[in-house]
Amino acid sequence: MARTCYYELLGVERSASDADLKKAYRRLALVWHPDKNHGNVEEATRVFAEIKEAYETLSDPQERTWYDNHREQILRGDDVVTDYGQADMGGNTSFMQTEALMRYFSATSFRGFGDTTDGFFAVYRELFARLRDEELQSSAESDDILLNLNFGGTHTHYDEDAAYAQGRTRGAGTGSTLRDFYNFWTTFSTRKSFGWFDRYRLADADNRQVRRLMEKENRRLREKARREFVETVQNLATWVRKRDPRYKSFVAHRQHQQQLREDEQRRRIAEQRAAAAEDASTYICQAWEEVDYTSMLGEHGPSSDDAEAKSSTQSAGDLGQDELICVICDKNFKTTAQKANHEKSKKHLKVVRDARREMLREERQMAKMQQQQGAAEDSDSAAQESDDSTAQLTDGAEEDALAQLIQELAMAQSSKKSKRKKRPQPNPESTEEPAVKPITDQEPTPDLEVPTHRPTKRDMRRERQRKQAQNELACNVCAKEFTSRNHLFNHINDTGHALAKPEKAKSKSNRK
């Protein structure tokens, strides 16, 4: 029986968006809903079920991708061959092919969700029972888990253990639940060899190389067929579970239980908060907890409670606000963690170093200014003291002081002349220290460098090398000296004063 394409059924293009699919589904539901067709209920129910199935399939991204990839096989339906033959297990064995499973990806493969022969449970119970028998025939070993798999019927619970915990009667059990059934088929892996997909007979190979190529091609075809079959069975099990009313009931019940647990938890939290608030309102303070602070106010100065509270609140607020401010960078922060991260940043550390240098520079300038100011004050005080002492002298004292000053100057000049005549010659071998020159009011003479030892040959050679190096950094044309070779080369390039240095005549001792 040929099937109608879901896109054609909804009247949309294959590239339609989710909004287009929803709009088309609502439009057709208003036309074919059974409540709108009282005179043609059977046909309206059938068409509405197909429209609903098409919308559910195409609105799910995974199912839509699967449908687009296998659209041609699904539309062929019953027109494909359902069995493959294989005689490698000691007898003729028929297996269902992958294309035959495609027709079960549609709501038209069953009629209703009852226990009738063409209903949902009967159709898929028979299908999965056949797939189970094929897997048992393909393996010589028996599998208890595979033998106990059963699709069940209308009254089968999805989870027998959960149903028993809720007080329901446990089913006449087969050793596995509907949950185990779907877990097995959604993670299905076949045991079939798929040898009927071999293209070449190995006996027809001419040599070993051809035989290996045949084996490689046959193995590739088998793996491809096995992968397609396993993927089809897993997607079919997922498709059936999504539409199984027992699974839907289990999911709805589980969501309801979760909602009840969340409501109960919120109710308990609200009761605990109400009880805590009631206890706080009815709490009676003990006598030992009451402390009278009014007697302490006189010791620390008169102040009202409101003023203290206001000042403490304001100081606490200012302190908290100041703690979250970087004064150097002029930035505000919301948390202490933000401020700690900022203080570790390179930018903040650079600003701190610059500010520290600026403060040190200002401190040095202030110290220098204070020192200069102190020196000026000392000179002013000395001048003031001299003026005061001069004013206090009498006329006779002034004359005596003036005569004494003239006598001292004359003695100093005479001693200076005698020293010039009898100036001793410096003796390098003498170890006596020179006499200390008396301090006079004359202008100081510049210090003369007295050689402490006689220059050696090494010192003289180094001095000649130093002068020779200085002469090498001079231009041979204009005799201009330079501090480095780069400056000399730049001068030669700019002026063109390129003149070779005259070579010195070699001595006879250097000739070979």
Side-chain angles (χ1 to χ4, degrees), residues 36 70 119 152-153 180 205 208 221 225 227 232 289 319-320 386 397 402 459:
K36 303 290 183 179
H70 303 83
D180 299 332
R208 184 182 300 176
L221 294 174
R227 185 169 56 254
T232 303
E289 295 178 337
L319 181 59
S386 63
L402 182 58
D459 296 338

Side-chain angles (χ1 to χ4, degrees), residues 375-388:
E377 291 178 356
D378 294 340
S379 61
D380 294 342
S381 61
Q384 184 67 27
E385 291 177 357
S386 63
D387 294 341
D388 294 341

Side-chain angles (χ1 to χ4, degrees), residues 208-391:
R208 184 182 300 176
Q209 185 177 4
V210 175
R211 181 186 177 87
R212 290 179 178 176
L213 292 175
M214 289 181 176
E215 289 178 353
K216 183 178 180 180
E217 181 65 17
N218 291 341
R219 186 165 54 252
R220 186 185 66 82
L221 294 174
R222 289 184 184 185
E223 293 297 329
K224 180 180 178 181
R226 178 183 289 107
R227 185 169 56 254
E228 292 179 354
F229 180 76
V230 170
E231 185 179 357
T232 303
V233 172
Q234 291 178 356
N235 282 277
L236 178 62
T238 305
W239 187 90
V240 173
R241 183 180 63 179
K242 183 179 179 180
R243 289 154 182 80
D244 193 338
R246 300 166 297 181
Y247 176 72
K248 292 181 178 179
S249 176
F250 171 76
V251 172
H253 179 72
R254 186 172 57 181
Q255 293 177 352
H256 178 66
Q257 294 294 331
Q258 180 67 19
Q259 185 66 29
L260 291 179
R261 286 193 294 268
E262 293 177 358
D263 295 342
E264 180 66 19
Q265 185 177 3
R266 285 194 292 268
R267 185 185 63 80
R268 287 199 304 268
I269 294 175
E271 290 179 355
Q272 293 175 358
R273 291 179 177 177
E278 184 178 359
D279 294 342
S281 61
T282 59
Y283 179 75
I284 300 176
C285 185
Q286 301 296 327
W288 58 270
E289 295 178 337
E290 297 179 356
V291 180
D292 188 10
Y293 293 100
T294 56
S295 59
M296 303 179 184
L297 295 178
E299 300 177 1
H300 302 285
S303 60
S304 61
D305 295 340
D306 297 338
E308 289 182 357
K310 184 176 180 180
S311 61
S312 61
T313 304
Q314 184 176 2
S315 62
D318 295 341
L319 181 59
Q321 187 177 5
D322 293 340
E323 290 179 353
L324 299 178
I325 296 177
C326 180
V327 181
I328 298 177
C329 300
D330 193 14
K331 287 187 178 181
N332 299 330
F333 304 96
K334 295 182 179 179
T335 60
T336 55
Q338 290 182 355
K339 184 179 179 182
N341 293 334
H342 169 73
E343 290 176 350
K344 297 178 181 179
S345 63
K346 295 182 179 179
K347 185 176 181 180
H348 174 77
L349 297 176
K350 182 177 180 301
V351 174
V352 170
R353 288 194 299 268
D354 296 342
R356 188 175 298 162
R357 294 194 190 97
E358 184 66 21
M359 293 173 64
L360 292 175
R361 188 179 63 82
E362 291 179 356
E363 289 180 359
R364 287 195 295 268
Q365 290 181 355
M366 290 293 295
K368 186 176 181 180
M369 292 174 61
Q370 291 177 0
Q371 184 177 4
Q372 293 177 356
Q373 185 176 2
E377 291 178 356
D378 294 340
S379 61
D380 294 342
S381 61
Q384 184 67 27
E385 291 177 357
S386 63
D387 294 341
D388 294 341
S389 60
T390 305

